[in-house]
Amino acid sequence: MTLIAVSQVAVEFGATRIFEDITFTVAAGDRWGIVGRNGTGKTTLFSLITGERRPNHGQVSRQPNVRVSLLEQHREFPGATTLWEVAAGPFAELMRLEKSLAEQAEALAHDAGEAAMDRYSRDLERFEREGGYTYAPRVDAVLHGLGFDPEQARTRQVHELSGGERGRLGLVRQLVSPADVLLLDEPTNHLDLETTQWLEQYLKTSSQTFLIVSHDRAFLAAVTDHMLHFEGGTAFPYTGGYEAFVQQREERRLTQQRQFDKQQRTIAAEKDYIARNIAGQNSAQAKGRRKRLERMPRLSSPIGEEGTMALRFESGERGGDQVVVTDKLRVGIGERILLDEFSNRVMRGDRIGLIGPNGAGKSTLLKTIVGEREPQAGMVRVGGGITVAYYRQDLAQVPLGKTLYEIIQDLRPTWERRLVQGHLGRFGFSGDEAQRRPESLSGGERARVALAMLVLSQPNLLVLDEPTNHLDVESIEALEDAIESYEGTIVLVSHDRALLRSVVDRVWVLNHAHITDYDGSFTEWEEVSRERAHAAAVRASEEEALRRVKEKQRTARKDAGTDDRDTRNELRRLTREIESLEARIAEHEATIGKLTATLEDPELYTTPAGIEESVSLGKQLDQARAKLDEAMAAWTEKVEEKERLG
């Protein structure tokens, strides 16, 4: 069934046409990825789908009663004080009913009159029918998956959140909402590798229809089955995921190029014939050909890579073999230790990928390496002859208050005007755009300015902190090509798995103030540590199941008095069995916790023996989870039996 239809749509802002002639349909269950350069209209398309704006030409239609959810850009969350209230906002009515049921269950222990019992039964039936036992565990599971503690979320205040946390919380609210279509605009922007992988798995197993604007190629490859590519003032739909799209796009461009070249050869031949015969014996025929040539519809030149950054990193002098040396290095912020007792060497030619959860200290470590922060203890030294170029995640290296022309001229004072203009042009700032100031630029434009500055230093050590955060897919591909061809040393922090897979040959995993040094590619690290990801998935699933148990306990009514001795005896027996099952559940939960903690330790995967042990532990984990499932199923059965008797 078609949920959304976009037909011949065009949008204009004043005299500027953003895009035109866009046509595609979204059917139930479709998973669309949307890519294209910044400023081509991807977010504008979302505003058309929600009905926030209307197209200047064409039509956008939706099935009646289709619910569309778009992540709020401002993320103020009015009316909510705690994180949990924000996340569970779409279920406000169920939350009120749940509170009432808990109060009624408490009251029934003292007053089990017929009217009270009837009300409780009606409300409980409605609560269960509308998903009362599933919404809270679902909210908790999504909170946990996106990096929040569900218990703390019930008391933590919204005003305490950082901008990145607000982005993640808004995403939680959107994912749990009972919408038919999700519009996700750069959902991985504030996520680290682990939370990105969680979101990827969540969407893969979801039955919802969604459209995702994203620059994360690995993410798109994993979750999409359709692609929409904005380029050349329009958008082209493709059937298949990201990898199929790349292949089809190249085939389409090649076909367009061949057709264009063929027409150009025909036009050239006709013009040559006309020029040779217009005044001669075949003048009439030449004039006829000229009229046909004038009426011939011209094919546009193929859309290609025009406008993509011409990015190239050139390494300066060779430098020493030891690029960075650390000895018992301690990095921290105040009393919080982010990294301790770190002794290591970065050797010339290394391409290190530094990964770990958000807040673990990756950026702080990079600042310590380049000398912007003092270590709390130990030593870090950059080798002799090493020139460092540092790309900051917050783009603070781009100075404010100057034009782009002045920024580049300050770095190359001997360059003529044409050289400065040419350099900026290679990063997408041509003509008068060279006179713009960073304050007027978007995040993606400032990122391109930062890269334009970076390449001028000719470093032999590149330190890159999330360089893809603000870039579109085409720019990321250009950056990836530049890093691949770079001959110097690289330390890279990124959550872009496609980039990490392409350029990294050594992995540092920062976890609990310790770095695990894996001497292999990121692809190899993903392979050997697959049990680590499996353990995290089992833990998340186990926690969601336990939350369902707690939700059942919260609304279950307490034992009421009864005159039937057999019933009282049966209730006592069931109570003992339930308590025994709860103890067994706790034992299995502890076993799973212990196995998961072992499997989540990156050091386990650095040796062949450790990898072999992880496989064995993974099997034990699956067995423990099966026993937990069995115990919880028995617990649910006994609780329901007790409720029927009570």
Side-chain angles (χ1 to χ4, degrees):
M1 179 179 69
T2 298
L3 300 181
I4 298 169
V6 178
S7 178
Q8 302 291 316
V9 162
V11 170
E12 299 165 356
F13 289 118
T16 303
R17 175 158 287 193
I18 305 302
F19 53 69
E20 63 183 351
D21 196 27
I22 295 181
T23 299
F24 70 102
T25 58
V26 179
D30 280 356
R31 298 147 181 263
W32 283 84
I34 303 176
V35 295
R37 292 183 188 139
N38 293 332
T40 52
K42 303 185 294 294
T43 301
T44 301
L45 175 65
F46 277 3
S47 68
L48 295 175
I49 292 174
T50 61
E52 180 183 340
R53 67 169 294 128
R54 297 179 61 83
N56 297 89
H57 304 280
Q59 185 176 5
V60 178
S61 57
R62 288 166 29 186
Q63 280 286 344
N65 302 319
V66 166
R67 296 166 297 179
V68 176
S69 172
L70 174 64
L71 179 64
E72 300 93 338
Q73 295 299 313
H74 301 296
R75 300 161 189 166
E76 294 300 325
F77 314 124
T81 57
T82 68
L83 275 63
W84 213 89
E85 288 174 354
V86 172
F91 306 102
E93 181 61 31
L94 272 177
M95 290 167 67
R96 285 190 288 271
L97 183 57
E98 181 180 26
K99 182 180 179 182
S100 172
L101 279 168
E103 293 170 351
Q104 291 180 57
E106 187 70 32
L108 283 174
H110 310 289
D111 176 16
E114 185 176 345
M117 289 288 292
D118 286 347
R119 181 193 174 197
Y120 178 84
S121 297
R122 286 195 307 271
D123 286 353
L124 186 64
E125 189 274 332
R126 177 190 162 203
F127 184 72
E128 188 166 4
R129 184 181 67 250
E130 296 181 4
Y133 289 127
T134 59
Y135 91 89
R138 181 181 176 189
V139 171
D140 284 348
V142 177
L143 279 166
H144 183 269
L146 291 177
F148 296 103
D149 184 306
E151 291 304 317
Q152 291 182 3
R154 283 173 162 77
T155 56
R156 189 178 176 192
Q157 301 294 296
V158 173
H159 66 79
E160 299 173 0
L161 298 181
S162 66
E165 288 174 321
R166 284 178 177 270
R168 284 191 283 125
L169 183 59
L171 181 57
V172 171
R173 182 186 178 105
Q174 187 181 20
L175 291 176
V176 303
S177 69
D180 300 301
V181 180
L182 296 181
L183 304 181
L184 301 164
D185 195 349
E186 298 290 4
T188 64
N189 260 6
H190 302 289
L191 308 185
D192 55 32
L193 275 173
E194 291 184 6
T195 48
T196 297
Q197 289 170 331
W198 178 89
L199 177 61
E200 180 180 293
Q201 189 61 34
Y202 181 90
L203 292 175
K204 284 170 69 174
T205 57
S206 169
S207 60
Q208 281 180 300
T209 305
F210 53 78
L211 292 84
I212 300 176
V213 172
S214 180
H215 62 260
D216 189 325
R217 295 162 294 167
F219 179 71
L220 290 171
V223 304
T224 61
D225 54 23
H226 290 75
M227 293 294 300
L228 186 69
H229 183 209
F230 280 78
E231 66 173 353
T234 186
F236 300 91
Y238 295 84
T239 300
Y242 183 79
E243 292 170 352
F245 147 69
V246 171
Q247 181 178 350
Q248 293 174 46
R249 179 188 62 183
E250 294 311 309
E251 290 171 353
R252 180 180 60 79
R253 287 177 174 174
L254 182 59
T255 299
Q256 286 181 329
Q257 186 68 57
R258 287 171 176 166
Q259 292 172 344
F260 179 76
D261 290 344
K262 181 180 179 180
Q263 186 181 71
Q264 291 302 302
R265 289 194 297 269
T266 300
I267 292 171
E270 290 293 285
K271 286 183 176 179
D272 179 66
Y273 180 89
I274 294 166
R276 286 187 289 103
N277 294 281
I278 192 67
Q281 184 175 348
N282 297 319
S283 176
Q285 188 175 2
K287 290 178 181 178
R289 289 196 179 191
R290 184 168 61 183
K291 288 181 180 179
R292 287 197 300 273
L293 187 62
E294 290 170 352
R295 292 195 296 266
M296 178 187 292
R298 297 296 200 270
L299 296 175
S300 301
S301 59
I303 301 170
E305 299 303 317
E306 296 84 359
T308 301
M309 291 188 300
L311 181 60
R312 179 178 175 81
F313 296 117
E314 294 184 0
S315 179
E317 61 178 284
R318 182 177 185 273
D321 289 338
Q322 294 188 5
V323 179
V324 179
V325 178
T326 67
D327 183 32
K328 296 183 178 179
L329 176 65
R330 177 186 295 168
V331 175
I333 299 177
E335 297 181 357
R336 184 182 172 212
I337 297 175
L338 301 171
L339 176 64
D340 203 15
E341 293 287 318
F342 180 52
S343 299
N344 210 305
R345 283 176 169 77
V346 179
M347 304 304 292
R348 183 170 51 84
D350 279 348
R351 293 163 171 260
I352 296 173
L354 173 58
I355 62 175
N358 282 345
K362 302 185 296 295
S363 296
T364 307
L365 174 58
L366 294 190
K367 291 176 182 177
T368 306
I369 288 174
V370 301
E372 289 193 359
R373 289 184 64 94
E374 289 293 323
Q376 289 190 344
M379 176 273 294
V380 57
R381 185 184 73 249
V382 175
I386 301 301
T387 304
V388 182
Y390 176 32
Y391 182 99
R392 294 169 175 81
Q393 182 179 170
D394 61 5
L395 302 176
Q397 65 270 41
V398 180
L400 305 179
K402 295 183 177 182
T403 66
L404 305 188
Y405 183 92
E406 291 168 340
I407 290 170
I408 301 303
Q409 189 177 49
D410 287 348
L411 296 172
R412 286 292 184 272
T414 61
W415 274 9
E416 299 175 3
R417 183 176 187 83
R418 62 179 180 82
L419 294 177
V420 175
Q421 292 275 24
H423 184 71
L424 285 168
R426 285 190 286 275
F427 290 84
F429 301 101
S430 301
D432 292 341
E433 290 198 325
Q435 299 305 315
R436 294 178 66 187
R437 295 176 181 268
E439 295 90 328
S440 71
L441 302 180
S442 67
E445 290 170 326
R446 287 184 65 191
R448 284 190 273 123
V449 174
L451 290 169
M453 297 168 61
L454 197 70
V455 300
L456 296 178
S457 59
Q458 295 188 329
N460 47 28
L461 171 60
L462 272 178
V463 178
L464 305 172
D465 190 0
E466 297 288 4
T468 67
N469 265 5
H470 303 282
L471 300 178
D472 52 48
V473 167
E474 286 85 353
S475 297
I476 291 172
E477 289 172 346
L479 174 64
E480 183 178 295
D481 290 342
I483 293 176
E484 282 186 322
S485 61
Y486 176 62
E487 296 179 353
T489 305
I490 298 169
V491 179
L492 167 68
V493 170
S494 181
H495 65 270
D496 188 317
R497 285 165 293 165
L499 180 64
L500 291 167
R501 290 166 186 165
S502 176
V503 305
V504 165
D505 58 21
R506 186 176 167 193
V507 182
W508 283 357
V509 186
L510 178 54
N511 188 54
H512 299 304
H514 173 75
I515 283 183
T516 297
D517 188 351
Y518 178 74
D519 190 14
S521 69
F522 181 74
T523 302
E524 292 169 332
W525 169 253
E526 286 183 303
E527 178 63 25
V528 301
S529 63
R530 62 185 181 276
E531 289 295 344
R532 189 168 183 254
H534 172 62
V538 168
R539 169 64 73 87
S541 178
E542 170 241 345
E543 288 178 348
E544 183 174 0
L546 288 171
R547 290 186 194 106
R548 293 178 190 271
V549 169
K550 293 175 182 176
E551 284 303 310
K552 196 81 173 177
Q553 290 172 328
R554 190 174 296 157
T555 54
R557 67 178 185 264
K558 310 298 184 287
D559 290 345
T562 176
D563 294 332
D564 190 315
R565 177 177 298 178
D566 290 339
T567 301
R568 289 201 304 272
N569 290 338
E570 185 66 10
L571 285 170
R572 283 195 289 268
R573 180 187 67 79
L574 287 170
T575 299
R576 288 194 298 270
E577 290 185 11
I578 289 169
E579 290 173 350
S580 175
L581 285 166
E582 288 175 346
R584 197 187 310 171
I585 287 170
E587 289 176 8
H588 296 321
E589 184 182 2
T591 300
I592 288 174
K594 189 181 299 182
L595 289 169
T596 301
T598 304
L599 285 165
E600 288 182 342
D601 183 358
E603 288 290 339
L604 181 65
Y605 306 95
T606 57
T607 64
I611 295 169
E612 186 175 342
E613 182 185 357
S614 74
V615 174
S616 174
L617 291 172
K619 292 178 181 177
Q620 294 177 43
L621 181 63
D622 287 337
Q623 292 169 358
R625 176 59 206 271
K627 291 178 181 177
L628 177 64
D629 288 343
E630 182 181 336
M632 286 198 296
W635 180 90
T636 301
E637 181 182 341
K638 297 299 180 184
V639 167
E640 290 176 349
E641 185 178 348
K642 182 181 177 182
E643 286 180 347
R644 286 194 296 270
L645 285 173

